[in-house]
Amino acid sequence: MEPIRAQGDSPAAPVCRYGDAHLDTLAEIERRVLWLATSIVHHANRVRPNTSGIKVGGHQASSASMVSIMTSLWFGQLRSEDRVSVKPHASPVLHAINYLLGSLEERYLETLREFGGLQSYPSRSKDPDPVDYSTGSVGIGATAPIWGAISRRYTETVTGTPSRGRQYSLVGDAELDEGAIWEAVLDSSVVDLGEIVWIVDLNRQSLDRVVPNIAARRIEQLFTAAGWQVIPVRFGHLLESLLQREGGDALRERILSMSNPEYQRLLRCTAAELRDRLPGAADGSEAIVGLVASVDDATLLQAIRNLGGHDLGALREAYAQIDDSRPTVIIAYTVKGHGLPTEGHPQNHSSLLTVEQYRDLATELGENADAPWSRFGGRSAAGRVCAGAAERLRREEEPALAPPHVPADFGRTPSGIATTQAALGRALLDLTRAAPEAARRVVTVSPDVSSSTNLAGWVNKVGVWSTEERRDWFSDDSETIMHWREKPTGQHIELGIAEVNLVGLIGELGATWSRWGQPLFPIGVLYDPFVERALEPWSYGIYAGGQSILVGTPSGVTLAPEGGAHQSIKTPSIGLEQPGCTSYEPAFAIDVEWTLLAAMSQLGRPDGTSAYLRLSTKPVDQKLAGVPADPAARERRRRQSVAGGYRLRSAGTPRATIVTMGALVPDALAAADRLAGLGTDVDVVCVTSPGLLYEAVQGRNGQGEAPSWILDQILPQDRAAPMVTLLDGHPHTLAFLAGVNQVKSRNLGVSRFGQAGDVQDVYRYHGIDIDSIVRAALDVIA
């Protein structure tokens, strides 16, 4: 975009004198932070060679509005046990602060958005300096400290050792448009978390415009209604002093009642224009005229932009009011681009200072545009404050506790008729008996679907986690089967119906091994159709280093009576494609046990990975699994199951291979019987993880490191035959397997919205019924 030119005759970065030695020193640091943050973006765009011609970008104005808030926090408020989630566009400010604290090398200041350098947005896993929470996707980073607070409290119940600090979240006001913010704020579990402190950067601007009506008072009311302490920081001390004069009440009401665009326009005015525009035409305007007439130009220009979010004294007073018995939100009024020539411009979101503007800013701040990366001398007051903050915030490295051993096999063979969904709860209960130390590290989370996803037995066994013990008023009700015993030692966390909250929480529970050296085994359970709703925040949690297990159940069009709205189609391929995640869709109870245990064994470690299990409510005869009785053969089957699949039925000389998974395995076996009766013998391969098989294919082709032995065992070259793939999901999920041996194929699955009805009617509608399988096999071998 075209460079934004400064208007008015105000200095770009006015020097505030607080009459307080410490605050004056913080103001000096504040100016250096502004300079460094601006320079980090400037160097990436104006100095570093750009051979691609693609805009590098950065957010100088969004960073500038946060400089005062972050300076006051890091250099005057934070303790080592505190954690902070920084709004994405303020990442240059975080890096500038870390540089002054000595925790970031100078060479990185020139690498913003460069490969291997400073990331576009704060990243725990990819930035070279300390980052508490990865942010970058609207709403996810803002709410992360809530789930971090819960996960920290939960680890206390496991270790018995109190370990608590404040969890700060620095939130842009436009971020409050994200619905996930309010889902988290309103959750009933949050009101007891007094360590949560949000600071809202109320700069009234979004990416494209000045927001017509941020409605700050309405925002305050929403937080108040949710049980939060609300601390508005509207004006700085200079403006507040003017409001105490005659005419001040009228000016206060005028500023608070004017629209956001009108206020922003005042920031672009000269002193003469300001005297003309500020009084307005409503009652009290004459008093305002008299007040502004008594103020010199420089003071007037500074006062109109002297909002509370840029006044270090006002911020310090706000922090002193924090009530640690309930969550707190500080509404800090700010100016986007504060201290820059682009200050208050409605399109300054991603604008960049020109080289001329940058050099002028250097002059005004007393910096060197040709050598921008200066720290404070150790003997200066600012240098001593930086050194003291660095020492105060220094964290001892948490010793990493190895996760407890997770058994690979409980040694029992399920019988009778069972569902994979029910097998999940049974496996968790078996774990409490077979490996109590591992079971103690399990924490399940669900959004009000515990009973309908078969977790009732587990919940009855381990109880529901709560910050304090609460009475179960239905404990003496003989007709109540599921007991809701809430206590600090419970191992199930129930949230409201908000899937984004669920995956945010399991992501933070899955990061405790790296934050506090305490590994947990978080398992989130939700209806499979809603995995897509929760996918982005869960994926972001994986990116940030969280390791968890997500269970989607019930799934697919097999959930026939529920109708198309509750029938998941794309989730099998999502599991295949999600980085940092192993996906499983087991067909039998024994496969649920094996894959769940294998997934748990990968949690809570530096080389760990998350997992996604897609389960079903379709009853299946467990004898169809044909689990070998011989111990060695059983172990071979288990290894195949957790590696991606196994051959469930072998023909003498197969004329075709049916490759299937999950709920449709019994139908594939029935089709194989029908085909055998027609003189067409087929192999049946049961896939448990399309993703692992795809990685094996890539490994065989030299495009990855995954072993490929599983392909030789389930799809050996000497048994290559035309293939029919079949699943309760999109057919392309398994279609790639025909390429293993370069055979013809027909790919059956679900590629359109479903219908309510009987299971067989719905299967027939989608072409995944037994008749369709038989026809596809006959077609492919014709």
Side-chain angles (χ1 to χ4, degrees):
M1 63 187 298
E2 290 297 317
I4 294 175
R5 300 295 176 182
Q7 293 185 18
D9 49 10
S10 63
V15 177
C16 296
R17 297 299 179 188
Y18 291 94
D20 177 302
H22 179 66
L23 290 182
D24 283 341
T25 301
L26 285 188
E28 184 180 359
I29 296 172
E30 173 190 33
R31 293 190 293 275
R32 180 64 55 83
V33 171
L34 173 65
W35 168 251
L36 289 171
T38 305
S39 297
I40 288 171
V41 179
H42 179 81
H43 190 282
N45 288 273
R46 304 291 195 199
V47 180
R48 192 172 70 218
N50 183 349
T51 57
S52 70
I54 297 174
K55 175 185 174 183
V56 176
H59 299 87
Q60 290 174 326
S62 294
S63 292
S65 68
M66 287 296 301
V67 166
S68 305
I69 293 170
M70 294 178 66
T71 299
S72 65
L73 270 179
W74 264 264
F75 296 97
Q77 180 69 21
L78 293 181
R79 303 161 297 171
S80 62
E81 61 267 31
D82 298 334
R83 298 292 185 272
V84 187
S85 172
V86 176
K87 81 169 189 177
H89 293 159
S91 65
V93 183
L94 177 62
H95 299 310
I97 288 173
N98 281 336
Y99 174 63
L100 293 179
L101 293 174
S103 55
L104 179 66
E105 297 177 32
E106 180 179 322
R107 62 188 177 94
Y108 282 111
L109 300 180
E110 300 180 353
T111 67
L112 179 68
R113 302 190 175 202
E114 184 178 72
F115 186 82
L118 299 178
Q119 298 301 296
S120 308
Y121 311 116
S123 171
R124 282 192 74 221
S125 57
K126 297 183 182 297
D127 268 316
D129 53 332
V131 174
D132 291 333
Y133 289 99
S134 295
T135 60
S137 190
V138 172
I140 297 174
T143 59
I146 290 178
W147 318 124
I150 293 177
S151 67
R152 192 164 196 169
R153 288 201 183 197
Y154 189 90
T155 59
E156 291 180 8
T157 68
V158 175
T159 64
T161 303
S163 173
R164 195 172 302 173
R166 283 180 180 166
Q167 300 280 333
Y168 290 87
S169 185
L170 309 183
V171 187
D173 53 3
E175 230 174 336
L176 297 179
D177 290 342
E178 171 56 54
I181 293 279
W182 299 106
E183 288 182 351
V185 167
L186 293 171
D187 194 274
S188 60
S189 63
V190 174
V191 72
D192 296 325
L193 304 176
E195 62 267 43
I196 294 173
V197 179
W198 283 21
I199 304 176
V200 177
D201 172 20
L202 194 80
N203 62 37
R204 303 174 179 81
Q205 289 185 236
S206 61
L207 190 150
D208 292 326
R209 60 176 180 161
V210 177
V211 179
N213 184 13
I214 284 292
R217 291 174 177 173
R218 181 163 57 88
I219 291 172
E220 294 175 16
Q221 291 168 355
L222 287 169
F223 278 103
T224 299
W228 290 48
Q229 177 192 22
V230 178
I231 304 174
V233 188
R234 297 188 177 95
F235 306 128
H237 285 78
L238 174 59
L239 179 54
E240 193 63 53
S241 69
L242 296 184
L243 298 178
Q244 302 307 314
R245 300 184 185 181
E246 184 177 352
D249 291 341
L251 178 58
R252 183 189 302 274
E253 182 58 31
R254 166 79 171 125
I255 293 175
L256 290 177
S257 62
M258 72 173 56
S259 71
N260 293 329
E262 182 181 6
Y263 180 83
Q264 294 295 103
R265 183 63 184 88
L266 295 179
L267 301 175
R268 309 289 295 171
C269 289
T270 64
E273 292 171 331
L274 191 55
R275 295 181 190 280
D276 179 60
R277 289 172 178 260
L278 185 56
D283 292 343
S285 60
E286 292 184 3
I288 299 174
V289 170
L291 175 57
V292 298
S294 68
V295 180
D296 63 77
D297 287 356
T299 302
L300 181 61
L301 288 166
Q302 290 190 28
I304 197 62
R305 50 187 38 82
N306 179 226
L307 299 182
H310 301 302
D311 188 294
L312 299 173
L315 289 168
R316 183 172 66 180
E317 291 169 7
Y319 302 146
Q321 298 175 49
I322 294 174
D323 174 7
D324 285 322
S325 68
R326 55 178 173 153
T328 296
V329 59
I330 296 172
I331 311 292
Y333 287 58
T334 62
V335 176
K336 195 163 186 173
H338 182 69
L340 301 179
T342 58
E343 182 176 85
H345 192 284
Q347 280 85 49
N348 67 6
H349 180 81
S350 57
S351 66
L352 301 169
L353 299 191
T354 65
V355 172
E356 179 186 0
Q357 288 173 329
Y358 178 73
R359 290 191 170 276
D360 288 344
L361 181 66
T363 300
E364 291 165 0
L365 295 177
E367 301 288 352
N368 185 346
D370 297 316
W373 316 124
S374 58
R375 289 190 174 104
F376 293 107
R379 295 185 179 180
S380 68
R384 291 195 299 272
V385 169
C386 289
E391 179 61 26
R392 184 179 71 253
L393 298 175
R394 186 172 60 85
R395 297 171 183 166
E396 298 293 337
E397 186 174 349
E398 295 286 353
L401 179 68
H405 172 70
V406 177
D409 188 352
F410 293 139
R412 66 179 184 86
T413 302
S415 59
I417 306 297
T419 71
T420 53
Q421 176 177 285
L424 171 69
R426 176 64 184 270
L428 291 174
L429 289 173
D430 286 345
L431 186 69
T432 63
R433 293 183 285 268
E437 289 188 15
R440 184 64 189 93
R441 297 274 169 170
V442 172
V443 52
T444 56
V445 184
S446 71
D448 198 35
V449 293
S450 301
S451 56
S452 56
T453 54
N454 285 97
L455 285 182
W458 163 259
V459 173
N460 286 344
K461 173 76 173 179
V462 301
V464 178
W465 181 84
S466 176
T467 56
E468 59 184 23
E469 189 156 355
R470 296 188 174 98
R471 181 174 177 178
D472 178 11
W473 290 96
F474 291 88
S475 60
D476 58 350
D477 187 338
S478 60
E479 296 184 0
T480 299
I481 299 175
M482 188 173 181
H483 301 291
W484 211 252
R485 300 188 180 94
E486 297 180 85
K487 52 188 178 180
T489 56
Q491 291 180 243
H492 175 76
I493 300 177
E494 188 91 356
L495 300 174
I497 305 176
E499 289 77 14
V500 172
N501 288 353
L502 177 139
V503 295
L505 178 53
I506 63 174
E508 287 304 319
L509 289 166
T512 56
W513 65 274
S514 60
R515 290 194 190 281
W516 305 298
Q518 292 294 331
L520 297 175
F521 300 143
I523 302 173
V525 182
L526 75 167
Y527 287 167
D528 194 67
F530 306 139
V531 166
E532 293 178 64
R533 184 185 302 175
L535 182 61
E536 187 207 358
W538 187 53
S539 178
Y540 208 87
I542 295 173
Y543 166 82
Q547 298 168 7
S548 59
I549 298 173
L550 187 64
V551 179
T553 182
S555 63
V557 301
T558 300
L559 192 62
E562 291 281 350
H566 275 190
Q567 296 171 0
S568 52
I569 297 172
K570 295 176 287 184
T571 47
S573 59
I574 286 173
L576 184 154
E577 296 158 5
Q578 173 61 45
C581 169
T582 301
S583 62
Y584 289 109
E585 185 165 346
F588 301 103
I590 190 66
D591 292 327
V592 174
E593 174 188 310
W594 287 338
T595 56
L596 177 66
L597 295 175
M600 288 177 57
S601 70
Q602 294 300 309
L603 300 178
R605 57 186 73 244
D607 58 346
T609 186
S610 294
Y612 160 52
L613 272 65
R614 187 177 190 249
L615 306 182
S616 174
T617 52
K618 182 180 179 182
V620 173
D621 184 352
Q622 298 302 301
K623 287 186 291 187
L624 295 176
V627 180
D630 180 80
R634 178 188 176 97
E635 174 59 14
R636 180 174 183 268
R637 167 69 72 84
R638 186 200 67 80
R639 292 182 67 245
Q640 291 176 333
S641 179
V642 300
Y646 51 89
R647 196 165 349 122
L648 186 56
R649 182 173 296 182
S650 298
T653 303
R655 297 189 62 196
T657 302
I658 299 176
V659 179
T660 184
M661 70 180 190
L664 292 184
V665 168
D667 302 85
L669 291 172
D673 291 338
R674 288 258 303 269
L675 288 165
L678 297 173
T680 303
D681 290 337
V682 300
D683 282 351
V684 177
V685 172
C686 177
V687 171
T688 54
S689 175
L692 289 178
L693 295 184
Y694 182 77
E695 291 176 12
V697 170
Q698 293 291 85
R700 173 180 283 184
N701 294 335
Q703 295 176 277
E705 302 297 326
S708 60
W709 62 266
I710 187 64
L711 300 176
D712 298 325
Q713 295 196 3
I714 66 173
L715 295 172
Q717 178 65 45
D718 60 3
R719 299 186 69 83
M723 182 180 293
V724 175
T725 65
L726 170 72
L727 75 153
D728 186 356
H730 199 282
H732 87 263
T733 307
L734 298 177
F736 73 93
L737 289 171
V740 172
N741 290 317
Q742 302 298 313
V743 298
K744 293 194 303 180
S745 68
R746 295 289 186 275
N747 309 116
L748 307 182
V750 181
S751 55
R752 52 183 170 164
F753 291 117
Q755 299 280 348
D758 178 78
V759 172
Q760 291 307 316
D761 289 337
V762 173
Y763 279 7
R764 191 174 302 109
Y765 172 77
H766 290 288
I768 56 176
D769 58 306
I770 295 172
D771 286 349
S772 296
I773 301 169
V774 171
R775 283 196 300 271
L778 294 175
D779 286 345
V780 81
I781 63 177

